[in-house]
Amino acid sequence: MTTETDILIVGTGFAGLGMAIQLKRAGRENFIAIERAGDVGGTWRDNHYPGIACDVPSHLYSYSYLPNPDWSRVFSPGGEIQAYIRKCAEDEGILPHIHFHTDMLKSTWDEASKRWVVETSKGTYVAKILITGTGHLADGHMPRIEGLDSFVGDVFHSANWDHSVSLEGKRIGVVGSGASAIQIVPEMQKVASEMVVFQRSAPYMIPRWDREFTEGERRMCRRDPSVVEDLRSEIFWSGEFNFAQRRNIPRFLNEAKALAVGHREAHIKDPDLLAKLTPDYEIGCKRLLISNTYYPAIAAENATLEASALKRVEGNMAYGASGTGYELDVLVFATGFEAVRPPFAARIFGSEGISLDAHWDRGMQAYDSIAVNGYPNLFIINGPNTGLGHNSVVYIIEAQVDYIMGALQQIEEQSIEVIEVKRTAEDAYMEKLDTMAQGTVWLAGGCKSWYVDDRSGRLTLVWPDFAHSFRDENGTFHPEGYDMQPAPVAAE
Amino acid sequence: MLDNQPFREGAVTVGGVSVRYRVAGPENDRTPLVLVHGTAGSIDGHYGYIFPMMAYRQRVIALDWSEPEGDALELADLVAQVKAVITAEVPEGPVTLMGYSLGACVAALTAYEMGDKVANLILAAGWLRTDTHQKMRNDVWRQLRDQDSASITQYMTFCAFSPAFMNMRTLTDMKAAAGMLKITPFVDKQMDLNTRIDIAAECEGIAAKTLVIGCTYDMMVPKHHSKQLFGAIEDARYAEIPSGHAVVHERAAELFHYVDRFTRQPDEFPAGTIIPAQKP
Ligand SMILES: Cc1cc2nc3c(=O)[nH]c(=O)nc-3n(C[C@H](O)[C@H](O)[C@H](O)COP(=O)(O)OP(=O)(O)OC[C@H]3O[C@@H](n4cnc5c(N)ncnc54)[C@H](O)[C@@H]3O)c2cc1C
């Protein structure tokens, strides 16, 4: 069965859904969104581990055009974010446009028909425009661990939590000490008889200014929407301020460091543990974490910090690279995602028949962080150089959706059949980004992070500037960067 | 490894006193930006954020005021210092001149006197004529100062920040911030000058493309002053930041946003525009 549509969106997280909502609001009905899972939400559907919450305040971490007065906390739990995304999809009438359980397997640009041919687990789609919103933290990364198959207990990844496994009184190993791990660890410490955390490198952590909103505050937000607008502005610009740390300016970096050091020393009294929890790279080089509960949990009686990576497993023993072994019942992998080489790229083949993944053999890149030469009529949301170390990803997504709306308008007005970014424009854009990235904490901070592509040493995931400048630079369509071919006029 | 931005220091002699300034950032198609701080300020105190961040975009020059000889400080003394720095560093012009608070009054008068050497002008939380509301605040300050009151820095801090900003912090934090303020005899002279500003006539003659930035919750130089500048200067556009007078601390990134956009493309908005706030 072949389904034809003007516009095909892949994925229904904040990105794909945000795109769908704007299309719908603009009166464009001829679009379909395919989603490999059975619900919208992406990240927030898949991550339901104990303790999950956002780390950008909820009033900002949501669509600007669909404010929610009812967030329960400053940093709302994941379930609430998922319910919010679901409600947005329902209220905006998007659900009928979504084909669930439809996995994009292979998309090929067909030069003859000037269409994308998209093979999925539910048949073939043919679309004039292909828009990916497949996320950059969507596919869990499992490190290859020697002997893991022999583990006699339960094993799962943080983004695929097995709630059927009872954890009460168990000996639990948590692998990793990144953003997910620091939310999981305090919850595990509460229920485990013993808990071991395998830490490859110590993260920087600062306090989390979290609290519950009162019913009165929520009513205030419902009664006066300008309160939410003011809050968004306040949260956004105070987040923007922190870009100066990522920019690696001594004064601001040192302020952040002092906050992190003070936080660590206030909670950790044991000098050995303090040494293990002290990072050996510059603050902000890896994701700066926020938590009030991680340090107390790691300092608890039933917790052990193994300051080395999990190396091998044998039966019910798990060994760190240091050689120390621990007897465990459960192993939780909070080891992050396939971000540097996103799996969707291996499934998209352009005009020369090469996959985007192969094309990106020196790392991801795209003009205006959205379009790739050789891949006509394709727009990528939340792809190369869109990540932020300091502010809300939804803000970036909205800017990219605006850009695509501008492009679609031009395509329609001028009856464009093929739109392809110029190679020279793409290269010039990347050169500009490379220059901007020099000296930033991601490149100069002395750490190995998923923001940088090993193969080229280039910063391929992060937008190396303020979030607001992403919108200034990439929030409107730039026709000058593209070759555009009008459709031939049909003979009467 | 920190990104220690290279910069160069310079000095010029004005009326017998040495005025020190700092230069950083690449020369490119943007007009050099000259920064003038406000009362009780300095390059680091008022432009600790804007100076280094703008220097990633373009050439930036900033000066620290020096105390002139004599008992009373006049606007002309400070204008002379700014002119001397511009003449030393960008003799042919043009420059983009930015002033904050009292520095905005200095910058406006400098722009008037230098004509087309100041192509673009940014006036943040500045004013055109001292009014009763300001005189009243200044008078309380004067009394506290004469009594050598320990509360004076707390009073200044209270006036400088918006309630929203303060409420994100504790009283202890705010008192600690107040404790950092230093009042010198030169600051006394600046406070006296603040009571006597009147550049209304000169503002009518400013030709520079101007961006006026008012602060919604400013209790020291309330935003109606910025509106007056917006009205008085012919080629002016207006933006408003929801902060107290201490916008250089409170909303440094948002201030940067306006400065960055304006210096990149001064004519992005035609004269008379009230630039809409970005809604994140
Ligand atoms: C635990 C966690 C916490 C986070 N917290 C924050 C935060 O506080 N603030 C912040 O700004 N960001 C946060 N992020 C980043 C977060 O990923 C983004 O903010 C945002 O949710 C990304 O939305 P998206 O739509 O681009 O991607 P996703 O939410 O990942 O959605 C992608 C969708 O595409 C679908 N898909 C993928 N491949 C295919 C295919 N081949 N065929 C069909 N469908 C496909 C997936 O099933 C998924 O539904 C967090 C991420 C994680 C993992």
Side-chain angles (χ1 to χ4, degrees):
Chain A
M1 192 192 81
T2 299
T3 310
E4 291 209 22
T5 180
D6 272 0
I7 300 166
L8 188 75
I9 303 168
V10 188
T12 58
F14 267 120
L17 186 62
M19 187 74 235
I21 291 171
Q22 292 308 327
L23 289 172
K24 186 95 180 170
R25 285 189 171 193
R28 292 176 185 271
E29 289 290 329
N30 197 353
F31 71 90
I32 292 170
I34 59 171
E35 168 57 58
R36 65 183 176 193
D39 199 357
V40 297
T43 291
W44 302 99
R45 175 199 64 228
D46 293 341
N47 290 271
H48 35 70
Y49 55 74
I52 185 165
C54 51
D55 52 22
V56 167
S58 294
H59 277 296
L60 180 64
Y61 188 60
S62 40
Y63 294 123
S64 63
Y65 46 86
L66 289 167
N68 174 18
D70 291 315
W71 294 116
S72 68
R73 309 186 65 85
V74 174
F75 300 95
S76 297
E80 230 176 275
I81 303 171
Q82 173 60 9
Y84 163 81
I85 299 176
R86 172 92 202 171
K87 186 168 183 306
C88 293
E90 283 166 9
D91 292 355
E92 297 286 317
I94 305 302
L95 292 178
H97 289 267
I98 303 177
H99 296 187
F100 288 112
H101 304 291
T102 306
D103 192 3
M104 174 188 76
L105 301 174
K106 187 176 187 191
S107 291
T108 312
W109 174 251
D110 180 41
E111 194 60 52
S113 65
K114 315 273 191 240
R115 293 287 185 277
W116 280 98
V117 179
V118 180
E119 294 164 38
T120 76
S121 54
K122 288 268 184 80
T124 303
Y125 292 77
V126 171
K128 194 175 155 189
I129 303 285
L130 182 63
I131 300 172
T132 67
T134 48
H136 57 204
L137 303 177
D139 299 85
H141 167 74
M142 278 296 273
R144 269 189 291 271
I145 303 290
E146 184 191 328
L148 187 57
D149 289 346
S150 73
F151 188 61
V152 292
D154 294 291
V155 180
F156 45 84
H157 188 274
S158 58
N160 197 9
W161 195 272
D162 186 348
H163 293 275
S164 72
V165 175
S166 150
L167 299 168
E168 200 65 44
K170 294 281 175 64
R171 294 166 301 184
I172 304 171
V174 179
V175 186
S177 53
S180 294
I182 63 136
Q183 296 184 336
I184 292 168
V185 163
E187 300 302 314
M188 294 302 101
Q189 186 268 326
K190 284 184 211 159
V191 297
S193 59
E194 288 167 42
M195 177 185 68
V196 180
V197 177
F198 293 89
Q199 170 195 276
R200 193 172 51 181
S201 95
Y204 279 100
M205 206 171 296
I206 54 171
R208 183 179 181 87
W209 301 101
D210 195 16
R211 68 178 185 84
E212 220 173 313
F213 289 121
T214 63
E215 177 46 36
E217 285 173 310
R218 293 200 291 269
R219 195 185 298 126
M220 167 176 72
C221 292
R222 285 196 293 274
R223 287 180 170 172
D224 183 357
S226 76
V227 173
V228 177
E229 212 169 89
D230 291 350
L231 264 175
R232 286 181 66 89
S233 158
E234 202 175 304
I235 301 163
F236 178 78
W237 289 109
S238 52
E240 285 293 79
F241 184 85
N242 293 334
F243 175 68
Q245 298 159 12
R246 308 299 183 279
R247 190 48 270 181
N248 215 351
I249 294 177
R251 170 174 173 176
F252 301 103
L253 203 82
N254 290 334
E255 276 175 21
K257 215 157 153 178
L259 190 61
V261 171
H263 188 48
R264 189 161 66 228
E265 289 176 353
H267 286 286
I268 307 293
K269 296 301 171 203
D270 171 11
D272 288 342
L273 187 57
L274 193 61
K276 288 186 198 170
L277 286 168
T278 303
D280 60 0
Y281 55 88
E282 206 46 270
I283 190 166
C285 179
K286 295 185 186 217
R287 201 171 178 85
L288 179 60
L289 306 180
I290 56 168
S291 175
N292 302 334
T293 49
Y294 183 76
Y295 286 143
I298 213 88
E301 284 271 305
N302 63 338
T304 305
L305 179 65
E306 168 57 43
S308 78
L310 174 65
K311 181 79 192 306
R312 70 188 171 89
V313 174
E314 219 180 291
N316 60 0
M317 293 295 290
Y319 295 89
S322 69
T324 315
Y326 304 89
E327 220 177 306
L328 297 172
D329 305 311
V330 182
L331 263 178
V332 177
F333 281 83
T335 40
F337 298 87
E338 302 292 351
V340 172
R341 291 183 66 178
F344 83 91
R347 300 180 176 198
I348 294 183
F349 295 80
S351 41
E352 285 174 15
I354 300 168
S355 83
L356 203 45
D357 184 60
H359 178 74
W360 281 341
D361 59 355
R362 306 252 310 135
M364 298 193 281
Q365 68 167 54
Y367 173 65
D368 288 354
S369 299
I370 209 164
V372 184
N373 176 259
Y375 297 78
N377 294 20
L378 170 70
F379 296 100
I380 300 164
I381 309 179
N382 208 3
N385 296 108
T386 54
L388 295 176
H390 69 284
N391 223 324
S392 166
V393 169
V394 179
Y395 176 86
I396 297 291
I397 288 172
E398 286 189 19
Q400 295 202 286
V401 167
D402 288 348
Y403 185 104
I404 297 171
M405 292 303 288
L408 292 174
Q409 192 180 340
Q410 181 134 354
I411 287 168
E412 186 170 280
E413 281 168 8
Q414 299 176 12
S415 304
I416 302 297
E417 187 166 48
V418 181
I419 170 168
E420 181 178 356
V421 64
K422 296 175 193 157
R423 169 103 245 169
T424 48
E426 186 181 321
D427 289 344
Y429 179 78
M430 288 315 294
E431 216 167 283
K432 183 178 83 175
L433 289 199
D434 281 347
T435 312
M436 279 159 66
Q438 291 317 308
T440 59
V441 75
W442 300 290
L443 291 183
C447 79
K448 186 177 174 323
S449 81
W450 51 271
Y451 298 133
V452 176
D453 195 301
D454 263 350
R455 295 167 294 182
S456 58
R458 274 173 118 173
L459 193 63
T460 56
L461 261 142
V462 173
W463 167 252
D465 208 280
F466 288 97
H468 74 253
S469 74
F470 186 92
R471 180 177 291 254
D472 286 349
E473 307 219 357
N474 299 327
T476 39
F477 176 56
H478 298 139
E480 65 277 12
Y482 296 83
D483 285 321
M484 290 185 263
Q485 288 171 32
V489 182
E492 302 241 318
Chain B
M1 194 176 67
L2 296 170
D3 205 32
N4 280 307
Q5 231 172 16
F7 66 88
R8 173 168 62 77
E9 281 188 327
V12 282
T13 304
V14 183
V17 298
S18 171
V19 176
R20 294 185 317 132
Y21 62 89
R22 210 181 290 169
V23 186
E27 282 186 73
N28 52 27
D29 53 359
R30 293 196 198 194
T31 311
L33 174 65
V34 179
L35 303 172
V36 185
H37 65 73
T39 301
S42 63
I43 303 172
D44 291 326
H46 285 169
Y47 292 112
Y49 196 85
I50 297 288
F51 183 93
M53 295 312 287
M54 281 304 294
Y56 283 104
R57 302 280 204 251
Q58 63 156 91
R59 170 61 45 104
V60 185
I61 301 159
L63 67 142
D64 280 324
W65 292 341
S66 283
E67 184 174 1
E69 283 159 10
D71 289 340
L73 179 69
E74 297 303 331
L75 216 40
D77 297 322
L78 298 172
V79 168
Q81 296 187 7
V82 175
K83 276 185 179 170
V85 171
I86 293 174
T87 307
E89 281 299 314
V90 199
E92 304 302 321
V95 298
T96 297
L97 183 61
M98 171 171 183
Y100 164 60
S101 190
L102 176 60
C105 306
V106 175
L109 191 54
T110 308
Y112 168 73
E113 293 184 6
M114 291 188 95
D116 57 10
K117 278 213 171 142
V118 177
N120 311 302
L121 180 65
I122 304 171
L123 305 177
W127 71 104
L128 169 143
R129 187 185 294 123
T130 306
D131 65 7
T132 306
H133 174 267
Q134 286 173 303
K135 284 181 186 159
M136 177 92 183
R137 178 182 48 74
N138 201 296
D139 196 58
V140 175
W141 186 90
R142 189 70 257 161
Q143 291 172 44
L144 292 171
R145 181 75 172 140
D146 289 344
Q147 294 156 13
D148 202 15
S149 167
S151 308
I152 192 164
T153 53
Q154 224 168 295
Y155 175 65
M156 290 165 82
T157 307
F158 176 75
C159 293
F161 291 93
S162 73
F165 182 85
M166 248 186 245
N167 292 338
M168 296 285 288
R169 281 142 192 91
T170 62
L171 181 59
T172 316
D173 295 340
M174 294 314 298
K175 284 186 161 185
M180 313 271 278
L181 291 177
K182 298 275 172 291
I183 304 168
T184 62
F186 187 28
V187 172
D188 280 319
K189 291 183 188 169
Q190 293 166 31
M191 285 301 282
D192 171 64
L193 173 58
N194 283 332
T195 65
R196 296 182 279 110
I197 299 296
D198 187 351
I199 51 170
E202 291 85 349
C203 281
E204 301 280 347
I206 290 174
K209 220 169 257 318
T210 303
L211 171 66
V212 177
I213 300 171
C215 301
T216 315
Y217 306 107
D218 194 335
M219 296 192 284
M220 298 175 72
V221 187
K223 66 177 187 181
H224 65 264
H225 292 285
S226 288
K227 293 272 174 78
Q228 287 170 5
L229 289 167
F230 176 48
I233 299 170
E234 183 167 333
D235 194 356
R237 62 269 311 121
Y238 176 81
E240 196 169 302
I241 297 179
S243 103
H245 187 67
V247 60
V248 289
H249 301 291
E250 266 195 68
R251 290 275 187 144
E254 192 172 5
L255 182 62
F256 171 87
H257 166 71
Y258 285 113
V259 173
D260 183 35
R261 272 183 86 150
F262 182 69
T263 49
R264 178 160 72 169
Q265 199 190 335
D267 60 359
E268 182 183 0
F269 297 99
T273 307
I274 295 180
I275 301 170
Q278 221 207 67
K279 291 196 174 156

